[in-house]
Amino acid sequence: MARITIDPVTRVGGHLRIEADVAAGEVLDAWSSGTMFRGLEAILRGRDARDAWMIADRVCGTCTGVHALASVRAVEDALGISIPDNARLVRNILAATLAVRDHIVRFYLAQLPDWVDATVALGADPTAASSLARSLGDWPQSSPAYFSGVRDRLAAASGSGQAGPFATSFPGHPGYQLPPELSLVLLAHAIEALDWQRDFMRIHTLLGGRDPHPQSYLVGGVSLTPPWGGPPARRAGEHPQLPDRNTPSAMSDEGLALIDDLIARAQTFISWVLMPDVLQLAEAYSDWGKVGVGAASYLTFGDYPGSAVEAGKLFLPRGRILGGNLASLSEMNDTSVAESVAASWYADDDGAEPRRPVNGRTDPAYSGPALPLATLEGAAKYSWLKAPRYNGQPMEVGPLARMAVAYADGQVDVRAAMNAALTKLGLEPAALFSTMGRTLARTVETRVMAKQAGAWLTQLKGNLAKGDLALVDGGHWDPGSWPATAEGSSLGEGPRGAVGHWVAIQDGVVRDYQIVDATTWNASPRDANGARGPLEQALLGTPVSDPGQPLEILRTVHSFDPCVACAVHTFNPRSGGAIEIRVNYTETSR
Amino acid sequence: MVDDGLYAALVRRGMTRRTFLKFSTAMAAALALPATYAPRIAEAVASAPRLPVIWLRGQDCGGETEAFLRAADPTAASLLLDLLSVEYHETLMAPAGADAELLRTNAMERYPNGYLAVVEGSIPTGAGGAYCLVGGRPFVDIVREVCDGALATIAVGACAFDGGAPGAGGGATDARSVRDVTSGGGAYIALPGCPLNVDNLAATIVHYLTLGEWPATDGRGRPLFAYGPLIHNECERRPHFEFGEFVQAWGDEGAQKGWCLYKMGCKGPEAFGNCATQQFAQSTSWPIHAGHGCIGCTMPNFWDAMSPFYRRLPSPVPFFPNVTADGVGTALVGGIGAVAAAHGVGMYARTRLTARAERRAAAAAAAAEADATQAAATTPAGTTTLPRPEAIEPDAPAPSAPEREAPSTLTPNEPPPPRAGDDPEVR
């Protein structure tokens, strides 16, 4: 038996270490360790509650805006503020476009290097690559000269230094099965994706003022304003008004048209580039539809609230799927969420009893092996991540969980897109519960959300055209109008899965704050019962052809798209005694 | 090593000379150099070999890496494949584990004092370094070793600049800045911001490739071309400040007309940066254009020093009370000149200032023309156009009088409530 250590696990956010015991060509046991802790609670406590979202957003710059949105919703929940419909639409568009961008970039930059050997791609025949690309779709960048140029560019880069994410993890590894031409097409698309996302994210710069870390949220709505509708009425003694100069442009006709265009181009890119690429990959590596199953239980908080007319119905529903059974959808109640620190580097004088987030504690106390760390073998505690559990059970979160729940719930768009993909591959839905299935579900979600972002934009334009110009409810802005104490929460979704924020406000400032984040669920260590986290479980049985080149382990790890920067539990209540935050949550009351 | 430089690489991928010169011109603009510098930039960059880069991430959120991926001039793909050789960047590299670490140590050996060290995120020094481990080693050790042998160290983002969010309010992990934990080793450049504007990173690198030296910086390592201007001075809403036209409540008439956000807590009058002119994402927008005030994220300890973010600043231009906008400009120009002269590059600074003056004059001329057109369109002949009295009276800048707002639970001028770092009971 050999112990394999991968540290740093690259192509993830934050810092992740994986250790695995390998024998007879497969993983016998695995340990997932988050190796970074920030302790941002010191900055959040005592802050103006209206500032909280800006600080919370710094939890993660990759899923930018996700934590800002969760935080601003939690504060609004505490204060009983409902936001204008236009603000809801802007927030939904920001969240959906972020998910689209994130999924595509992570597929091409983080996951693809596990499946494509760039050195093989250099041997491709550009003419054959061109024919292949043209057979896959109508994407115009497909001439032999184009692929010849890409090949030369990659060759020059690898000949004069490093090619970053366009290089190869383990050159010549037998696990790479793609022919040279397909490899070259995929790498060409990876470079194009990098260029495409830069333009696409101008949506966030328009709607958020900048990107990453948008700066247009407000408790009560968003700071964007509709365009000033023409020259103002003249008043005696007034200096000249300049109605068209310096007025915010994102909500203007030009701004909305640009966003519309960028979303349309994203839809084209997904249909003609991303979708064919993922299907090719899933076909070539069909055996990876059986590897990396993991917990087989899935949890989503659901997200994207609908309009008042739709009674706030979530576009992606919340719920649970247990044991991979898509025929049965279980309800989700956040009072069943609790976190264990049995294997985490935190002190808890209450013993190993898991704590609900509202009573959570975070007392960092490194108790791992002496530094530098050689191995975690034998260490009872081995991660900065806590272990969130639902009714004591590990749950996988993320695109696969969202798509599985939406599929089981009969969500029309998800069903259609998912069935189309599965039919093309000749697969049953059960194949989704695997390493390749996670990538497939992520791709299906990308397609669904890009389409829906366009639908929300159409609604937004319709509202503005009707003269509904409200984007913020400023009625609760003054903290003097707030109750002396208030508590609230937000349960939603980021690209990587369920995101929960809990806030307690006292005299206008944040008294306590708690976050349970997506990758905390997936990459969590063992809990008090010794149950492995979903990522650890998924690694069991993963084949490893060469322990010196653990390519297969990286494939399953990256299928979760871990982002450990946000998973490390960052905020905690410090109020001494445990506080009770009431969470009365129903689907329609966000 | 076969390497005939960026221009050849760009031509190979089908870039035209025209596009390349456009890039060079964009860089010259970002650096506030005269347009005549563009050919020189083109020439220098075209023949430069790829610069090796080791990019380290500590207590980060990934925001600087994400900003890097949105680079437009040159593009991120171009930086990765043509301009830089990214030897080590945990998010943007194929190899993992020991293989990845080997690339880092190999690069340090192969390019002694010849690689660029970029550091993102703060560096925790508490608990023996256990708050951030890479390859099982405390991150602080890796930062020291990499930066000490670097051609230059660039601290990107607020966290690497001064400890940022993990270090705010005292922090829980003894988070430090790059400068706190490194001593020697090459030039030091800081590009703060939360996140930084990637144009400034690209321009800093291009500056080095073109002129063979790093841009002139202030005492904290911030390049003056990017962190010299006062945001308030270059803000598109500045005229409304002068007219006493302020947003008074979110979504009000002033907000719709794009009036000044000073009363909503904008930190532009206290923050330095080129955000107003450079903007973000190919000059698509910036926070004030989206209707939200500046939070001063380029400034030291901004999480503590600039918050609460919606509290109105006590005086409009605290650094330079009682001076006009022009006076502020003069003071800044003098400051830049002095620092630049101290660096022995006065000539270069003067060129740059001339360029800026030219740009401003052109912009002013264009604005005046636009104003004239607008005035003709909206003001009937013979109408007297005076500022509205009520806009001037209560809102006029009163440099010494602290602002008072309606009583609330957050009294503006009281110190903020105690935070974790202040209370010995609270860890």
Side-chain angles (χ1 to χ4, degrees):
Chain A
M1 191 171 72
R3 170 69 67 121
I4 294 176
T5 299
I6 308 176
D7 184 5
V9 175
T10 51
R11 290 176 269 132
V12 302
H15 300 273
L16 181 67
R17 176 188 181 98
I18 296 288
E19 293 198 13
D21 281 340
V22 174
E26 65 175 50
V27 175
L28 287 186
D29 206 350
W31 293 264
S32 157
S33 169
T35 59
M36 188 260 279
F37 171 76
R38 281 186 288 171
L40 297 184
E41 69 273 17
I43 172 173
L44 201 61
R45 277 196 70 236
R47 301 276 171 165
D48 187 329
R50 298 168 300 182
D51 286 356
W53 64 266
M54 288 185 242
I55 301 154
D57 201 50
R58 270 62 187 182
V59 166
C60 190
T62 301
C63 31
T64 158
V66 167
H67 291 276
L69 177 56
S71 178
V72 86
R73 278 173 174 171
V75 171
E76 285 162 357
D77 181 49
L79 301 172
I81 298 173
S82 55
I83 61 169
D85 198 49
N86 291 332
R88 172 188 72 88
L89 291 165
V90 167
R91 291 176 179 189
N92 278 358
I93 293 167
L94 277 170
T97 49
L98 183 268
V100 167
R101 181 266 177 193
D102 204 34
H103 288 346
I104 293 179
V105 170
R106 302 302 290 175
F107 171 71
Y108 282 110
L109 295 192
Q111 291 146 28
L112 202 59
D114 293 335
W115 308 98
V116 170
D117 185 339
T119 55
V120 168
L122 297 183
D125 169 21
T127 311
S130 168
S131 325
L132 173 68
R134 283 172 179 163
S135 74
L136 294 178
D138 299 330
W139 191 242
Q141 304 233 63
S142 58
S143 70
Y146 171 70
F147 285 112
S148 171
V150 172
R151 191 189 61 183
D152 293 352
R153 191 181 187 197
L154 288 168
S158 56
S160 67
Q162 298 301 321
F166 309 109
T168 305
S169 317
F170 305 109
H173 192 288
Y176 296 113
Q177 289 158 14
L178 299 185
E181 284 71 28
L182 182 54
S183 303
L184 181 62
V185 170
L186 290 170
L187 285 174
H189 290 169
I191 297 171
E192 287 178 43
L194 196 49
D195 285 337
W196 163 83
Q197 58 92 32
R198 179 193 68 244
D199 269 341
F200 183 66
M201 288 305 272
R202 291 175 71 197
I203 294 174
H204 273 229
T205 309
L206 279 165
L207 295 178
R210 68 169 169 183
D211 164 58
H213 295 317
Q215 201 165 306
S216 65
Y217 292 101
L218 290 173
V219 169
V222 292
S223 68
L224 298 165
T225 43
W228 179 248
R234 285 192 302 278
R235 276 179 280 178
E238 197 172 55
H239 74 83
Q241 297 289 344
L242 304 176
D244 296 321
R245 206 171 128 232
N246 301 339
T247 49
S249 65
M251 294 292 107
S252 67
D253 288 346
E254 296 81 6
L256 293 166
L258 177 55
I259 296 170
D260 207 5
D261 178 51
L262 291 168
I263 291 175
R265 280 157 61 190
Q267 290 166 349
T268 308
F269 189 82
I270 291 163
S271 299
W272 290 0
V273 181
L274 175 73
M275 209 72 203
D277 284 356
V278 171
L279 292 178
Q280 286 292 311
L281 205 64
E283 209 165 12
Y285 290 100
S286 57
D287 43 340
W288 283 85
K290 302 176 194 75
V291 177
V293 177
S297 292
Y298 304 89
L299 166 77
T300 171
F301 288 164
D303 210 329
Y304 305 109
S307 65
V309 181
E310 302 161 298
K313 188 176 187 302
L314 299 176
F315 179 74
L316 292 182
R318 62 172 40 126
R320 286 176 300 141
I321 295 288
L322 301 177
N325 180 8
L326 283 170
S328 161
L329 181 62
S330 304
E331 63 166 9
M332 200 291 300
N333 186 337
D334 73 319
T335 54
S336 298
V337 174
E339 292 188 300
S340 164
V341 294
S344 313
W345 290 317
Y346 300 96
D348 192 338
D349 48 19
D350 285 5
E353 191 64 24
R355 285 172 173 271
R356 283 183 51 203
V358 291
N359 299 328
R361 292 187 54 184
T362 306
D363 297 327
Y366 180 76
S367 55
L371 301 177
L373 204 56
T375 174
L376 294 167
E377 202 164 357
K381 288 174 176 270
Y382 61 90
S383 181
W384 283 118
L385 269 62
K386 292 183 179 181
R389 297 291 186 259
Y390 190 95
N391 282 339
Q393 298 300 311
M395 307 291 285
E396 179 176 336
V397 300
L400 174 54
R402 285 193 290 267
M403 292 301 100
V405 166
Y407 191 91
D409 195 48
Q411 214 279 8
V412 180
D413 302 83
V414 172
R415 278 217 165 221
M418 185 65 84
N419 285 336
L422 290 171
T423 308
K424 271 191 185 153
L425 291 168
L427 293 175
E428 292 300 308
L432 288 172
F433 306 126
S434 65
T435 294
M436 190 54 79
R438 285 185 194 96
T439 297
L440 196 58
R442 190 172 290 116
T443 310
V444 166
E445 179 173 81
T446 307
R447 164 169 260 179
V448 170
M449 294 323 297
K451 180 172 162 231
Q452 190 57 28
W456 284 321
L457 186 68
T458 305
Q459 287 180 37
L460 178 63
K461 287 195 282 194
N463 284 355
L464 294 172
K466 279 187 302 193
D468 173 7
L469 304 180
L471 280 141
V472 62
D473 169 12
H476 297 73
W477 184 250
D478 179 8
S481 69
W482 300 354
T485 60
E487 291 106 23
S489 70
S490 157
L491 302 181
E493 290 281 326
R496 288 161 192 77
V499 173
H501 283 223
W502 288 263
V503 65
I505 300 166
Q506 186 164 1
D507 298 330
V509 301
V510 173
R511 187 183 63 187
D512 290 321
Y513 210 100
Q514 271 289 316
I515 293 176
V516 179
D517 204 347
T519 300
T520 325
W521 290 89
N522 286 341
S524 62
R526 284 153 173 75
D527 57 30
N529 301 323
R532 295 176 187 83
L535 173 54
E536 295 175 335
Q537 281 188 49
L539 284 171
L540 301 185
T542 294
V544 180
S545 56
D546 174 1
Q549 301 193 330
L551 173 66
E552 298 90 345
I553 292 180
L554 289 176
R555 286 178 176 171
T556 295
V557 169
H558 286 136
S559 74
F560 284 88
D561 191 14
C563 183
V564 199
C566 47
V568 175
H569 212 83
T570 45
F571 301 96
N572 77 332
R574 295 287 183 177
S575 54
I579 56 145
E580 187 59 38
I581 300 180
R582 286 179 303 280
V583 183
N584 298 318
Y585 206 90
T586 63
E587 192 135 304
T588 54
S589 71
R590 169 170 277 147
Chain B
M1 194 170 87
V2 182
D3 195 341
D4 44 2
L6 174 67
Y7 180 61
L10 293 176
V11 167
R12 270 198 297 277
R13 71 174 263 232
M15 192 187 226
T16 59
R17 176 140 189 94
R18 186 172 164 275
T19 317
F20 185 67
L21 288 174
K22 191 166 149 270
F23 147 73
S24 306
T25 311
M27 277 296 109
L31 286 162
L33 289 166
T36 49
Y37 264 67
R40 191 170 162 190
I41 288 176
E43 191 186 335
V45 172
S47 57
R50 292 169 72 204
L51 187 60
V53 173
I54 297 178
W55 184 306
L56 301 175
R57 293 191 297 110
Q59 286 177 308
D60 69 305
C61 72
E64 319 308 328
T65 296
E66 290 297 335
F68 175 81
L69 288 177
R70 287 147 172 84
D73 280 314
T75 66
S78 198
L79 285 165
L80 285 166
L81 289 172
D82 310 320
L83 189 54
L84 308 175
S85 173
V86 179
E87 306 286 323
Y88 184 88
H89 186 315
E90 283 165 43
T91 320
L92 300 175
M93 69 192 298
D99 294 345
E101 299 225 279
L102 193 63
L103 282 177
R104 190 182 73 225
T105 48
N106 280 351
M108 290 167 59
E109 281 172 24
R110 196 178 315 145
Y111 312 103
N113 303 310
Y115 59 87
L116 194 57
V118 180
V119 185
E120 167 179 12
S122 52
I123 300 121
T125 55
Y131 293 124
C132 185
L133 303 172
V134 176
R137 294 176 63 206
F139 180 64
V140 60
D141 295 347
I142 295 172
V143 169
R144 286 196 179 118
E145 147 190 315
V146 170
C147 294
D148 281 356
L151 165 74
T153 296
I154 303 187
V156 290
C159 295
F161 172 58
D162 63 10
T173 59
D174 210 357
R176 300 301 178 88
S177 70
V178 174
R179 212 158 209 196
D180 282 344
V181 300
T182 59
S183 43
Y188 171 79
I189 311 283
L191 300 173
C194 193
L196 90 168
N197 189 337
V198 69
D199 293 349
N200 293 333
L201 176 62
T204 299
I205 293 170
V206 166
H207 188 288
Y208 175 76
L209 295 178
T210 307
L211 301 173
E213 64 184 15
W214 298 98
T217 61
D218 63 15
R220 289 175 177 269
R222 295 175 291 187
L224 293 167
F225 77 83
Y227 298 89
L230 186 69
I231 290 174
H232 188 53
N233 281 357
E234 304 196 329
C235 179
E236 63 196 36
R237 299 188 178 200
R238 177 63 187 257
H240 296 291
F241 177 86
E242 304 300 339
F243 277 120
E245 294 174 330
F246 298 102
V247 178
Q248 307 276 1
W250 297 115
D252 71 359
E253 180 187 332
Q256 294 186 23
K257 288 179 175 172
W259 285 357
C260 178
L261 289 156
Y262 163 67
K263 287 194 161 188
M264 306 312 282
C266 181
K267 302 296 182 281
E270 276 195 349
F272 291 84
N274 57 356
C275 313
T277 47
Q278 193 65 27
Q279 306 198 351
F280 296 86
Q282 305 154 67
S283 297
T284 298
S285 186
W286 66 301
I288 287 171
H289 201 60
H292 195 284
C294 163
I295 60 172
C297 70
T298 57
M299 301 305 286
N301 303 317
F302 84 96
W303 290 113
D304 294 330
M306 293 291 176
S307 62
F309 294 116
Y310 297 106
R311 183 176 63 182
R312 169 182 180 176
L313 290 171
S315 64
V317 188
F319 291 170
F320 305 97
N322 300 320
V323 294
T324 63
D326 288 339
V328 172
T330 315
L332 275 170
V333 166
I336 294 168
V339 176
H343 281 74
V345 288
M347 180 66 199
Y348 160 54
R350 275 193 295 279
T351 318
R352 208 166 42 190
L353 291 167
T354 314
R356 181 192 275 167
E358 282 168 8
R359 261 195 322 162
R360 282 197 175 144
E369 195 181 323
D371 285 2
T373 317
Q374 291 288 358
T378 57
T379 315
T383 308
T384 331
T385 55
L386 294 171
R388 275 179 299 163
E390 89 273 5
I392 287 278
E393 217 278 299
D395 301 330
S400 56
E403 293 296 336
R404 289 284 172 198
E405 291 178 3
S408 77
T409 49
L410 291 170
T411 312
N413 291 304
E414 275 178 13
R419 297 190 185 124
D422 304 327
D423 185 352
E425 291 297 306
V426 176
R427 269 178 295 164

